[in-house]
Amino acid sequence: MSEKVISCLTISWALFFLPINALADKIDDKIDVLLKKMTLEEKVGQMAQITLDVVGKGKSRLESYEPFSLDTIKLEDALLNYHVGSILNTANNKARTPQVWHSIISQIQDLAMNKSHIKIPILYGIDAIHGTTYTIGGTLFPHEIALAATFNPANALNMGEVTAYETRASGIPWNFSPVLDLGLNPCFPRQFEGFGEDPYLGSVMGIQLIKGYEGINNDVSNPRKVASCIKHFLGYAVPISGKDRTPAYIPENILREYHLPAFKAAIDAGAKTIMINSGIINGIPVHCNYALLTKLLREELGFKGLVVTDWGDIENLHTRDHVASSDKEAVKMAINAGIDISMIAYNYESFCKYLVQLVNEGEVKQNRINDAVRRILRLKFELDLFEHPVTNYTDYPKFGSDEFAKYSYNAAAEAITLLKNKNEILPLIKGEKILVVGPNGNSMRSLNGGWSYSWQGEKTDTIASGQNTIFEAIEKRFGPENVSYIAGVQYDNTIEYYKETKVGFDKVFQKAQQSDVVILCLGENSYTEGPGNLNSLNLSELQIELAIEVSKAAKPVVLVLNEGRPRIIAVIEPLCNAVIQTFLPGNYGGDALASILSGDINPSGKLPYTYPKASNSLGTYFHKPSEVVKTMEGAYNYSGDFALQYPFGWGLSYTNFTYSNMKVSKTKFTKDDELLVSVDVMNVGKRIGKEVVMLYSSDIYASLTPDVKRLRRFEKIELRAGETKRISFKLTAKDLAFVNQNNKWICEPGEFKLMIDKQSISVFFE
Ligand code: BGC
């Protein structure tokens, strides 16, 4: 370990023992000194963030030459003439090695610290949302949706810790993660980036991810921690159309009860920064919504950290949303609403010029500027950037290590969810002839999804070629003599191509006939944001045809889904003996799946969303009573209006668990009481297994029609065959409350039903 890191760690530990207030005072004093020295132009520059291509040698700001190198003239213009204080992203949408990152960021910091009048380090930010997206050789984890399926917060903590370490190994101290958007609409192209549909699950996982990123006490001066950025505040993932950055209409009580809790929990957990929703709620673009950005976020939630825009969203107020009649007015609206840093990303000159003018004209108050700059400088001090503006990869020996890979593998193994296992066809019998079919069967790209080595993840097959695809992992596990692969169809061919040539389909049929079992790997190719918009949630026609063709061979079919959101599979599900959801399980997802297929790992994932059966029947498990037409057999299997394929929380195991003896400490309670709810869980099968024990509640009557049930607590446990454990949860009236028509949290007197598995007890709030 170098002297630099040893000294950083020593400083961090010394600071750790200082009272928190003393630390804050010291930083505040330093900020005061700096603020007094800074000109208005320098302050405004701190509020500007540009993308790396802007300062790279290249034809235009949109594209740099490769290999990337900084253009000193451009860099000096941005940093010395306009005092730009923050840079984000990679150049040319390409991942770089830690060595390259170190060289780029060292040069940037050198200029900022040594050549500028004010000597303030640059705050570099990146999207490392499931591991180090933009660093080659780092550890890619499952996406958040898969972490949620583990129902094990330790996996979020592990991902946070490894990602923080490897992001700092790349010289970068600020991570635009976690995504805390509530995934209520499966069409939304960023569904996989969040923790699914449940506000409580999202809060619990989000807190752990932040702890992993920022560490105990949020001491981000530790060179192995990064500042997190919770996003996208607020209500981003629920546009009416399901398409990215299109309008959402959300009543305040809904915003508060469902969308806000994960953000509130993250703010209470000390998250350092927040990114704003690019969208529009109730006609108001969130970037100029004073009520959300200042009244709610600052005044009510008490958020003290830094507020950054999303990409180009101040300009969007003028050019896209037409609420500002000029770019200058857009700057005024956003800064006055409460924005601290503008992710500009290209035209920094006009942002800086307009903001200086607005202050001089009295349209934006000096205080607002000082307030924003104070927060930016505080973060730079907290990250220890003034003393150590860049961390060095040589101090991070565990970067890309097997130890880190194991955390990713474990998370994938706990996430992969067994949705159907007719006649216990799984685990597979050793020695069976296995045919792997489908476009997702031999692709590292589809295992990782978007935000993997590039924005859309299209480079993954090349960069992660050393890791195992599903086919490669199965081949390794079951022996090459037993396993073969045929894609059958590719995403970019048309259905007509296959129907006319029959090339793929005929071969698939023949090969399927020669095998004992078919592993049919279907789903989605990688995407995020606009490119991931859908016109239909149905699985692509091509893949449906392939599944039908495969089934004609009359061999057992295991459908392996590899997708960022639940694509409709109703037509082909009955043709499959088993169904496994892998989500986007990351670089070790193929290996984890092979372990599950072979029975070395007993599956324990549970769906963090409701899997719909038809694209016009979308809903969540916490729907209203009127949405249930008729309950069929099975836990959550409605016919008619609310047709669903699999319910939230669904997931099978190779063993069975039974629940008994549910008890609650009292049946009448007041606002001061704590209820202790307990239950026995027994593994009645033949092998060790993990189970997620979930406690739900139903408010029987309420002034607003209540949700049929809500998840209130959960715990993942492991039980040996025959073992029983008693699990207890604590609840108070606050946990059972909802937001009423006056937008206030309330627990109304009356009956509540508490439910664990099929056990239930009624309690009464007085
Ligand atoms: C995304 C953000 C991301 C930002 C920077 C935007 O397009 O919406 O989630 O952090 O780009 O890459």
Side-chain angles (χ1 to χ4, degrees):
M1 196 183 276
S2 78
E3 272 175 33
K4 192 189 269 173
V5 169
I6 291 172
S7 69
C8 283
L9 288 174
T10 322
I11 294 168
S12 300
W13 278 106
L15 294 178
F16 188 73
F17 290 111
L18 272 177
I20 296 283
N21 284 347
L23 205 76
D25 288 349
K26 268 180 82 180
I27 289 184
D28 274 332
D29 293 348
K30 289 184 191 167
I31 296 172
D32 286 340
V33 172
L34 260 179
L35 277 177
K36 281 200 189 104
K37 281 201 224 156
M38 291 170 79
T39 62
L40 174 61
E41 286 74 11
E42 283 168 338
K43 291 179 185 173
V44 161
Q46 285 299 310
M47 299 169 70
Q49 187 186 54
I50 54 174
T51 190
L52 185 58
D53 278 312
V54 170
V55 287
K57 282 192 183 140
K59 283 200 281 284
S60 78
R61 289 184 170 184
L62 301 180
E63 201 184 334
S64 307
Y65 299 134
E66 286 291 341
F68 178 80
S69 64
L70 287 160
D71 183 323
T72 318
I73 296 175
K74 292 180 184 171
L75 191 64
E76 285 186 358
D77 185 57
L79 269 56
L80 305 185
N81 296 340
Y82 285 87
H83 321 285
V84 164
S86 182
I87 302 183
L88 87 149
N89 214 2
T90 182
N92 291 334
N93 187 30
K94 253 184 107 170
R96 315 269 158 188
T97 62
Q99 289 83 335
V100 169
W101 274 122
H102 182 252
S103 154
I104 294 172
I105 293 173
S106 300
Q107 290 172 63
I108 292 172
Q109 296 295 30
D110 181 51
L111 192 84
M113 299 293 284
N114 298 323
K115 302 228 172 78
S116 73
H117 150 245
I118 200 74
K119 302 194 184 335
I120 297 176
I122 290 293
L123 178 59
Y124 207 104
I126 204 111
D127 297 89
I129 74 163
H130 68 126
T132 48
T133 298
Y134 291 120
T135 306
I136 293 172
T139 312
L140 283 192
F141 274 76
H143 271 283
E144 274 185 34
I145 195 69
L147 291 186
T150 73
F151 276 79
N152 182 355
N155 289 315
L157 182 71
N158 292 340
M159 177 167 104
E161 287 183 343
V162 170
T163 306
Y165 183 103
E166 294 192 344
T167 303
R168 280 283 196 154
S170 317
I172 299 170
W174 187 20
N175 187 8
F176 303 134
S177 174
V179 173
L180 299 178
D181 305 319
L182 196 65
L184 303 183
N185 187 344
C187 303
F188 192 63
R190 307 187 72 175
Q191 184 78 349
F192 65 93
E193 295 180 44
F195 289 116
E197 76 185 31
D198 184 62
Y200 176 69
L201 177 61
S203 305
V204 173
M205 300 302 274
I207 291 172
Q208 293 307 311
L209 196 45
I210 290 162
K211 278 196 180 163
Y213 289 146
E214 298 195 352
I216 301 166
N217 286 346
N218 309 81
D219 176 11
V220 290
S221 70
N222 181 338
R224 291 173 176 195
K225 296 294 165 194
V226 291
S228 61
C229 184
I230 55 180
K231 65 189 190 182
H232 309 78
F233 187 80
L234 184 64
Y236 176 46
V238 287
I240 292 275
S241 71
K243 294 183 179 159
D244 193 24
R245 292 165 161 89
T246 56
Y249 297 90
I250 316 175
E252 187 178 334
N253 62 324
I254 300 294
L255 203 61
R256 285 176 175 275
E257 183 171 340
Y258 302 92
H259 299 274
L260 194 56
F263 284 94
K264 180 174 174 0
I267 289 167
D268 293 346
K272 297 281 175 199
T273 75
I274 196 165
M275 190 186 291
I276 303 310
N277 168 7
S278 272
I280 306 121
I281 300 181
N282 305 335
I284 307 174
V286 183
H287 278 78
C288 64
N289 191 328
Y290 182 80
L292 289 184
L293 303 192
T294 295
K295 295 306 268 181
L296 177 62
L297 182 61
R298 294 291 188 206
E299 295 175 13
E300 194 180 316
L301 299 179
F303 181 63
K304 298 208 166 36
L306 184 158
V307 176
V308 62
T309 70
D310 202 339
W311 187 274
D313 274 318
I314 295 189
E315 268 179 38
N316 278 342
L317 296 177
H318 169 53
T319 53
R320 186 192 70 186
D321 296 331
H322 296 217
V323 291
S325 58
S326 65
D327 279 335
K328 184 171 168 183
E329 197 190 350
V331 173
K332 173 179 144 184
M333 288 170 84
I335 302 300
N336 284 341
I339 295 295
D340 297 326
I341 290 194
S342 172
M343 188 185 285
I344 295 173
Y346 298 104
N347 299 323
Y348 60 89
E349 297 91 338
S350 50
F351 171 82
C352 294
K353 183 180 83 189
Y354 292 143
L355 190 49
V356 168
Q357 284 174 8
L358 286 162
V359 177
N360 287 334
E361 289 157 8
E363 297 288 336
V364 173
K365 299 268 173 293
Q366 268 284 357
N367 276 351
R368 181 67 269 275
I369 302 293
N370 286 340
D371 169 54
V373 178
R374 185 173 282 282
R375 293 175 205 278
I376 296 162
L377 294 178
R378 176 172 295 113
L379 184 65
K380 292 185 177 186
F381 278 114
E382 286 177 345
L383 286 165
D384 198 27
L385 296 180
F386 284 86
E387 295 299 319
H388 299 97
V390 62
T391 39
N392 191 335
Y393 61 94
T394 54
D395 298 323
Y396 295 82
K398 290 188 188 175
F399 176 87
S401 61
D402 289 348
E403 179 188 334
F404 285 178
K406 187 88 183 144
Y407 287 122
S408 171
Y409 169 85
N410 287 344
E414 276 200 53
I416 293 174
T417 305
L418 180 61
L419 297 172
K420 177 177 178 182
N421 193 12
K422 203 170 149 198
N423 300 330
E424 304 201 339
I425 182 192
L426 295 177
L428 297 176
I429 299 159
K430 298 253 151 57
E432 279 183 314
K433 293 277 174 247
I434 301 169
L435 176 67
V436 181
V437 181
N440 293 57
N442 200 20
S443 160
M444 289 311 299
R445 176 175 173 179
S446 63
L447 287 178
N448 282 289
W451 301 107
S452 306
Y453 308 111
S454 73
W455 180 45
Q456 296 294 322
E458 75 285 357
K459 301 180 174 81
T460 307
D461 280 326
T462 314
I463 300 178
S465 60
Q467 262 82 42
N468 294 319
T469 63
I470 292 177
F471 162 59
E472 289 162 348
I474 294 178
E475 199 185 28
K476 285 198 171 120
R477 179 73 49 147
F478 293 89
E481 67 286 6
N482 294 321
V483 185
S484 55
Y485 173 69
I486 179 165
V489 299
Q490 293 296 350
Y491 299 108
D492 39 13
N493 283 330
T494 61
I495 189 78
E496 287 73 27
Y497 169 83
Y498 287 100
K499 282 193 173 154
E500 278 161 23
T501 62
K502 276 277 191 177
V503 183
F505 288 175
D506 281 355
K507 255 204 213 139
V508 166
F509 178 73
Q510 280 162 19
K511 287 203 139 217
Q513 273 196 323
Q514 291 152 12
S515 65
D516 296 318
V517 59
V518 178
I519 310 290
L520 178 60
C521 303
L522 306 180
E524 298 184 314
N525 209 355
S526 67
Y527 58 84
T528 182
E529 301 189 47
N533 284 344
L534 283 180
N535 289 325
S536 163
L537 198 55
N538 291 342
L539 192 64
S540 71
E541 203 186 340
L542 216 51
Q543 296 187 77
I544 297 286
E545 288 286 328
L546 177 66
I548 293 170
E549 200 64 26
V550 163
S551 73
K552 288 183 190 158
K555 298 289 173 159
V557 175
V558 177
L559 173 61
V560 171
L561 296 167
N562 170 210
E563 54 189 9
R565 57 196 150 187
R567 302 295 294 265
I568 308 295
I569 53 165
V571 181
I572 58 169
E573 202 262 2
L575 307 176
C576 304
N577 304 64
V579 181
I580 302 181
Q581 175 59 282
T582 64
F583 307 95
L584 302 178
N587 267 341
Y588 306 95
D591 301 315
L593 176 69
S595 302
I596 286 177
L597 292 174
S598 68
D600 293 327
I601 286 183
N602 191 349
S604 64
K606 304 276 175 188
L607 279 185
Y609 51 65
T610 300
Y611 204 122
K613 206 178 212 168
S615 55
N616 281 3
S617 283
L618 307 181
T620 58
Y621 82 89
F622 49 81
H623 52 268
K624 302 299 177 191
S626 68
E627 291 173 87
V628 183
V629 174
K630 181 179 161 210
T631 307
M632 306 281 284
E633 207 193 303
Y636 188 64
N637 191 5
Y638 308 109
S639 66
D641 288 340
F642 193 39
L644 70 112
Q645 194 72 59
Y646 305 108
F648 172 88
W650 184 257
L652 303 168
S653 163
Y654 295 152
T655 185
N656 288 309
F657 300 95
T658 58
Y659 288 75
S660 61
N661 213 8
M662 182 176 171
K663 293 222 158 64
V664 62
S665 54
K666 39 178 97 173
T667 48
K668 291 185 176 169
F669 65 109
T670 67
K671 68 175 182 19
D672 303 318
D673 287 326
E674 190 174 75
L675 297 175
L676 193 69
V677 190
S678 53
V679 74
D680 284 334
V681 190
M682 183 177 184
N683 180 348
V684 292
K686 292 201 176 65
R687 30 169 110 213
I688 188 165
K690 290 180 181 164
E691 168 72 333
V692 182
V693 185
M694 301 182 195
L695 169 63
Y696 290 89
S697 73
S698 296
D699 190 349
I700 306 299
Y701 295 100
S703 55
L704 292 180
T705 181
D707 293 334
V708 292
K709 64 175 185 173
R710 291 291 294 274
L711 181 68
R712 300 306 185 186
R713 294 285 181 273
F714 64 86
E715 190 180 335
K716 191 161 196 175
I717 56 169
E718 186 168 54
L719 293 176
R720 293 186 304 276
E723 192 185 2
T724 302
K725 265 188 196 156
R726 188 149 189 86
I727 304 300
S728 314
F729 299 109
K730 287 178 183 160
L731 277 183
T732 65
K734 237 175 141 186
D735 297 311
L736 303 176
F738 71 101
V739 179
N740 69 8
Q741 62 267 53
N742 301 321
N743 304 317
K744 298 274 176 279
W745 282 97
I746 184 166
C747 184
E748 291 176 346
E751 181 184 354
F752 290 82
K753 201 161 140 192
L754 304 180
M755 295 158 291
I756 303 179
D757 193 58
K758 293 186 185 68
Q759 305 259 300
S760 70
I761 296 180
S762 285
V763 292
F764 298 85
F765 181 60
E766 304 185 315

